[in-house]
Amino acid sequence: MDIFMIQFLLCNLFLSAVIGLLLGTKRLLRGKLTSRIQYNLWFLLLGLLAVPFLPLGPVQREIFQAAPPSPLENILAENAPLHHAGTQGWIQDFSMAVSSGTPSFVGLLLWVLWVTGITGMSVMILRSFLRFRAVKRSSLPLENPAVIRLYQDCLREMKLARNIPVRTTAFLKSPVITGLFRPCIYLPLDLVSDYNPQGLRYMLLHELQHYRYKDTLATYLMNGACALYWFNPLVWYALAEMRNDREVACDTSVLKMLEEDAYEDYGNTLIDFAEKISRPSLLFSTGLGGSMKQMRRRILNIAGYQNASLKKRLHGLLAYALIAALLWSFVPILSIQAADQNRSAFPESGKEVVSLDLKDSFGTNDGSFVLYDAAQDTWMIYNKENAVTRVCPVSTIKIYTALLGLETGIISPEYSLLSWDGQSRRYDLWNRDQTLESAMQNSVTWYFQAIDQQAGLPVVKEYIRKTGYGNQTMGNDLSSYWADSTLKISPVEQVEMLVKLCENQFDFTPENIETVKNSIFLFSADKGRLYGKTGTGEADGKNVLGWFIGFIERDDGTIFFAANIQNEALADGNAAAELTFSVLSDLGMWN
């Protein structure tokens, strides 16, 4: 939830800028847009306000809570390849623990405040609903014959086939229409008793225009936006402007039905009832009422009203389409900022995907196993949910750090030696000069950190982006970005990255690609040549994450795999490798 709140706040900053842009655009084009177009522009904003809560792309999330964080969310660990029974001597397994973090108190506090505000807004809406229910119960069906005839004339004039019920009540000061599925118009009792046919006709036409344009639905959407964005004053201001534009658009729709000499009478009707209809209306109703500021704006609109020409309407539609296209381009930004990035996309359309049942192999461990047979173009996956869930890459990132070092010239295929800095570290094998082969075999963390440091933060960030590694997100700490839960990758993405590596889809120097592959070479056997890299994530002195990724080069094609296991205390690269060999053996791909 703390991550969600940070992302949501970033969305709000961007949305505030969008609101400013929309307000500026409306002001600039006010003379060129019809009142209805100006009102409809706000629906584009409502759509953007909904984006952070929609399941766009591969991410799906509850509206009040981000997707549950991975139990490894706060892992801070350095790790190394495996060392297990049956493979003694061919590779070493080291890990270096760092204390795990704790959830952000500030993020948690913000989430509590946000939900509290939503609760408060919900209470206000509930009170308004209860107040309306009391009004509804006390209302009576319209019985005045003259008003009934006038209302039927209005329905015919607007060519509405639905006979919307009309009721009278003594508890409202201005007419309103409410009800999403069963709309009903409520008239103040004194307007019916003090029958003024001309003024009442204008009021009824106004309410029926609200019905024609489904303004009650817009009211519900605006109330929902107010609840979710209760803390953002710019959102509230924008929604207030939307309500103003709604009434102006509704007035304009009525004026289109009137003769020019009736415009003044319509305006006088608003003025005559200004004191009454300026009172707050129900939160989920639409009506003739509004604030005094809104009334002044409406009167000015009526005073200067002219029927829009065809040219103005066409210009308005063109401007609307251009603004809509501009705002639509912001959707990916909002969805990326607000969405939980702990999952990757894996569209199965057009792919042959076989589900594996490896529950017995995984035992009490969580995790997944992904295998891709390039020759058969077939995917085999155990636990698809976890297969697209991103976690820390830990030492598996060293494959690509090595490639970065080669591409930038920090090391070369002929000379990859880096000198030990003399600092005594946890493992004796680390306290000496290292080549790429020895550093990869012994997972010498300082060797790969040195490559990143020499390359520099901007270069590393661009490299992560160019290769499309995982969520492509990293902080500013080059010593731990691959283990501190900023950079994450899913098992599916691990396999996809290995495919890119072997096929050199990065368009890097082929010799550098071969050098990296040679550094992770493990075995040669009848089944082919096996390459792999492990990773162990350690938190609070316990191994909680294990990776083993790699591929088998065979005469009939290459098989790529990624195993990820998670446990509160017993998950590491050793276990991930043992599980992988067991699965590959059962599938007849490795002995």
Side-chain angles (χ1 to χ4, degrees):
M1 65 185 67
D2 53 331
I3 295 176
F4 167 73
M5 286 309 303
I6 292 172
Q7 294 168 337
F8 187 46
L9 288 177
L10 288 175
C11 273
N12 272 266
L13 292 176
F14 188 81
L15 285 168
S16 297
V18 170
I19 291 171
L21 176 64
L22 190 56
L23 289 170
T25 303
K26 286 178 79 278
R27 181 174 293 276
L28 183 65
L29 300 178
R30 179 172 294 175
K32 302 182 183 299
L33 301 177
T34 65
S35 58
R36 182 59 59 180
I37 291 292
Q38 292 189 54
Y39 170 54
N40 287 341
L41 283 174
W42 293 114
F43 285 95
L44 300 176
L45 177 63
L46 284 180
L48 289 181
L49 293 177
V51 168
F53 304 96
L54 296 179
L56 299 179
V59 180
Q60 297 188 7
R61 176 164 22 89
E62 296 294 332
I63 197 168
F64 289 147
Q65 182 178 353
S70 164
L72 308 171
E73 186 68 39
N74 297 302
I75 285 178
L76 297 173
E78 296 179 357
N79 63 97
L82 70 123
H83 177 71
H84 63 88
T87 60
Q88 298 283 350
W90 61 273
I91 205 162
Q92 297 294 328
D93 184 14
F94 298 124
S95 65
M96 188 172 76
V98 182
S99 297
S100 64
T102 56
S104 167
F105 173 76
V106 174
L108 179 61
L109 178 61
L110 290 174
W111 186 83
V112 171
L113 289 175
W114 180 58
V115 173
T116 301
I118 293 175
T119 303
M121 288 296 301
S122 300
V123 170
M124 290 178 58
I125 295 174
L126 178 60
R127 288 180 60 187
S128 180
F129 172 78
L130 295 176
R131 184 162 62 91
F132 165 71
R133 191 168 67 171
V135 171
K136 180 179 178 180
R137 288 176 175 176
S138 66
S139 65
L140 298 172
L142 178 64
E143 296 180 349
N144 187 307
V147 177
I148 292 175
R149 286 194 297 271
L150 177 64
Y151 175 60
Q152 294 298 327
D153 291 340
C154 291
L155 289 174
R156 285 190 291 270
E157 191 175 358
M158 291 190 61
K159 299 179 181 179
L160 294 176
R162 184 170 183 176
N163 190 5
I164 303 168
V166 179
R167 302 179 70 87
T168 60
T169 175
F171 295 98
L172 292 177
K173 295 299 183 181
S174 64
V176 299
I177 183 170
T178 187
L180 192 58
F181 302 107
R182 291 185 292 180
C184 182
I185 296 175
Y186 293 85
L187 296 177
L189 193 58
D190 55 352
L191 290 183
V192 177
S193 57
D194 300 334
Y195 178 56
N196 177 355
Q198 191 73 316
L200 192 54
R201 172 174 173 259
Y202 295 149
M203 294 181 186
L204 289 171
L205 289 176
H206 186 96
E207 301 310 316
L208 290 174
Q209 291 291 352
H210 280 309
Y211 167 74
R212 167 173 283 173
Y213 289 101
K214 311 303 179 188
D215 287 340
T216 300
L217 174 60
T219 300
Y220 278 86
L221 295 176
M222 284 187 280
N223 287 336
C226 281
L228 294 174
Y229 291 87
W230 62 266
F231 58 91
N232 191 326
L234 279 178
V235 172
W236 278 68
Y237 179 79
L239 295 176
E241 287 295 296
M242 183 177 180
R243 293 186 184 92
N244 292 340
D245 285 347
R246 178 184 62 190
E247 296 307 317
V248 170
C250 196
D251 288 335
T252 301
S253 297
V254 174
L255 294 175
K256 288 180 181 179
M257 301 179 62
L258 304 180
E259 298 294 333
E260 188 172 348
D261 56 5
Y263 297 170
E264 184 177 348
D265 289 340
Y266 183 76
N268 287 332
T269 299
L270 295 184
I271 295 173
D272 290 342
F273 289 95
E275 182 177 355
K276 295 180 180 179
I277 64 181
S278 63
R279 300 189 180 191
S281 59
L282 300 170
L283 287 177
F284 44 86
S285 67
T286 56
L288 196 66
S291 66
M292 291 304 296
K293 180 180 179 180
Q294 183 186 89
M295 294 300 299
R296 286 193 296 269
R297 180 174 170 184
R298 293 169 64 183
I299 295 297
L300 290 174
N301 174 69
I302 294 170
Y305 173 75
Q306 291 181 344
N307 277 318
S309 64
L310 177 61
K311 181 179 179 180
K312 183 176 181 178
R313 292 197 297 270
L314 292 176
H315 284 173
L317 290 173
L318 177 60
Y320 184 88
L322 292 175
I323 296 171
L326 174 63
L327 296 184
W328 181 257
S329 68
F330 297 149
V331 169
I333 300 175
L334 287 171
S335 63
I336 291 173
Q337 291 291 349
D340 177 10
Q341 298 183 47
N342 286 340
R343 294 184 55 174
S344 62
F346 184 66
E348 296 188 27
S349 177
K351 295 185 176 72
E352 183 179 351
V353 181
V354 178
S355 295
L356 296 175
D357 184 1
L358 302 178
K359 292 181 181 179
D360 293 339
S361 298
F362 273 79
T364 59
N365 294 318
D366 291 326
S368 63
F369 181 85
V370 178
L371 184 145
Y372 174 61
D373 187 336
Q376 302 297 324
D377 194 20
T378 300
W379 291 81
M380 298 183 182
I381 299 177
Y382 166 71
N383 196 342
K384 293 180 182 179
E385 181 72 18
N386 279 27
V388 295
T389 299
R390 289 170 171 156
V391 294
C392 298
V394 284
S395 273
T396 61
I397 188 67
K398 293 173 182 176
I399 296 173
Y400 305 98
T401 303
L403 184 57
L404 171 64
L406 291 164
E407 285 294 309
T408 55
I410 296 171
I411 57 176
S412 69
E414 298 80 17
Y415 190 82
S416 62
L417 182 70
L418 292 182
S419 299
W420 175 45
D421 60 5
Q423 180 180 346
S424 179
R425 292 178 172 83
R426 180 175 179 179
Y427 306 109
D428 289 339
L429 288 173
W430 289 11
N431 299 327
R432 62 190 66 174
D433 296 348
Q434 303 286 341
T435 63
L436 176 58
E437 288 73 18
S438 66
M440 194 70 78
Q441 178 180 353
N442 298 316
S443 200
V444 181
T445 296
W446 68 258
Y447 182 93
F448 299 96
Q449 289 173 332
I451 291 176
D452 282 338
Q453 292 290 346
Q454 291 186 47
L457 183 63
V459 172
V460 176
K461 284 188 174 182
E462 175 59 21
Y463 175 74
I464 293 295
R465 185 202 63 78
K466 180 180 179 180
T467 57
Y469 192 92
N471 62 355
Q472 303 178 41
T473 301
M474 57 177 290
N476 296 324
D477 189 350
L478 285 174
S479 66
S480 63
Y481 67 90
W482 39 270
D484 63 4
S485 291
T486 52
L487 185 65
K488 299 180 181 181
I489 192 168
S490 70
V492 164
E493 289 174 315
Q494 290 274 29
V495 168
E496 290 172 338
M497 286 293 295
L498 290 171
V499 173
K500 292 179 182 179
L501 177 73
C502 289
E503 297 179 356
N504 195 12
Q505 296 179 22
F506 307 123
D507 196 26
F508 290 154
T509 305
E511 185 180 8
N512 292 339
I513 297 291
E514 288 302 314
T515 300
V516 171
K517 289 174 57 178
N518 290 337
S519 72
I520 60 172
F521 171 69
L522 302 179
F523 289 120
S524 180
D526 294 339
K527 293 287 186 179
R529 292 170 57 87
L530 176 69
Y531 301 78
K533 183 73 181 77
T534 57
T536 299
E538 182 180 335
D540 296 331
K542 299 178 180 179
N543 293 334
V544 295
L545 168 65
W547 279 107
F548 185 47
I549 67 172
F551 50 92
I552 304 171
E553 288 186 338
R554 307 193 308 183
D555 293 339
D556 59 348
T558 304
I559 295 172
F560 302 87
F561 58 84
N564 173 266
I565 61 174
Q566 303 168 25
N567 193 294
E568 294 181 357
L570 301 174
D572 57 19
N574 295 1
E578 291 177 2
L579 182 146
T580 300
F581 286 122
S582 175
V583 173
L584 292 175
S585 177
D586 291 342
L587 295 175
M589 297 179 178
W590 190 260
N591 292 329

